[in-house]
Amino acid sequence: MSQRHALSDDEVTTELRKMTAFIRQEALEKAREIQIKADEEFAIEKSKLVREETTSIDKTYEKKFKQASMSQQITRSTLANKTRLKLLGARQEVLDELFEQVQGRLSKEATADEAKYREICKGLVLEGVYALNEGYVQVRAREQDYPIVEAAIGDAKSELKEKTGKEVGIEIDRDDPLGKS
C-alpha cells in the first residue's frame, strides 16, 4: 500500500508551475511546428503562382513580339511595293516617251525611203503572221500608208507561200486605221 501524503501549498504551487511550464513548452513547440508548416506551404504556393505568372507573361510577350514582327514585315513589304510601283511608273514613263520619239522618227525617216519602208512593212507583216499562226490576218495601218502596206502584204503572201507552202489571207483593216502622225 502506498502512502499518501499531503502536499504542502508550496509543493502544489511548484508542481503547478512545472505542469504549466511543460504545457506552455509543448504549446510553443506545436505553434512553431504549425508556423514552419504554414511557411513551407506558403512558399510552395507562392512559387507556384510566380511560375504561372511568369509563364503567362512570357506567352504574352511572345504573342506581342510576333505581332510586332508581323507588323514590321507588312510595313517593309508595303514600302518595298510602293518603291517598286514608283520605279515601274518611272520606267513606264521613260518607255512611253521613248516610244513616242521612235514613232516620230520612224514615221519621218522610214517613209522617206519607200523601198526600205516597204521591206520593213513586209517584215512586220510576216512576223505578225508567224506569231499568230492563223489562216486569216487583218493588218492595221495609217491611211496614207495603204498603198505601201498593200504591196508589202503581196510580198509577204508570196514569201509565206514559198517558205511554208500555206496560203494565208492577209488584208488591211480599213474600218479601223491607225492614227495619223
Side-chain angles (χ1 to χ4, degrees):
M1 287 188 121
S2 69
Q3 261 187 358
R4 282 193 162 176
H5 44 102
L7 296 175
S8 67
D9 284 344
D10 286 340
E11 288 177 319
V12 169
T13 305
T14 305
E15 281 301 312
L16 276 174
R17 278 193 196 132
K18 284 182 187 177
M19 288 172 96
T20 307
F22 177 77
I23 292 171
R24 187 180 312 255
Q25 185 64 33
E26 287 293 315
L28 287 173
E29 285 179 20
K30 191 68 173 172
R32 202 173 306 126
E33 285 176 15
I34 291 172
Q35 184 65 42
I36 290 171
K37 184 148 177 101
D39 288 345
E40 286 175 356
E41 287 177 2
F42 172 76
I44 290 170
E45 188 65 27
K46 178 180 160 188
S47 174
K48 179 181 163 189
L49 289 173
V50 167
R51 267 194 314 271
E52 287 174 358
E53 285 302 310
T54 302
T55 303
S56 173
I57 289 169
D58 287 346
K59 285 180 182 176
T60 303
Y61 172 77
E62 189 175 315
K63 182 179 176 183
K64 287 185 180 185
F65 182 78
K66 284 181 181 178
Q67 286 175 340
S69 177
M70 186 67 73
S71 176
Q72 192 175 35
Q73 286 177 344
I74 289 169
T75 302
R76 231 182 274 132
S77 178
T78 302
L79 185 61
N81 283 340
K82 284 181 180 178
T83 304
R84 206 173 297 125
L85 286 174
K86 283 182 183 178
L87 180 67
L88 288 174
R91 181 178 177 194
Q92 188 62 44
E93 285 178 26
V94 169
L95 285 174
D96 289 345
E97 186 178 316
L98 185 65
F99 282 136
E100 281 181 30
Q101 289 174 1
V102 168
Q103 186 178 16
R105 281 184 56 199
L106 271 178
S107 64
K108 289 177 187 160
E109 293 176 18
T111 56
D113 182 0
E114 193 172 308
K116 191 175 179 183
Y117 185 49
R118 181 176 168 173
E119 194 61 31
I120 290 172
C121 288
K122 180 185 95 169
L124 291 172
V125 169
L126 284 171
E127 186 178 338
V129 169
Y130 287 137
L132 293 172
N133 196 22
E134 295 286 334
Y136 175 76
V137 177
Q138 280 189 324
V139 177
R140 290 181 63 207
R142 299 181 307 174
E143 285 183 57
Q144 70 225 38
D145 295 334
Y146 282 175
I148 296 171
V149 174
E150 284 176 345
I153 287 173
D155 295 345
K157 282 182 179 182
S158 300
E159 190 172 320
L160 274 169
K161 177 91 170 158
E162 181 182 310
K163 287 188 177 180
T164 63
K166 287 186 351 181
E167 284 196 31
V168 177
I170 306 171
E171 66 179 44
I172 295 177
D173 182 4
R174 295 182 186 275
D175 295 333
D176 192 15
L178 291 176
K180 295 181 182 178
S181 315

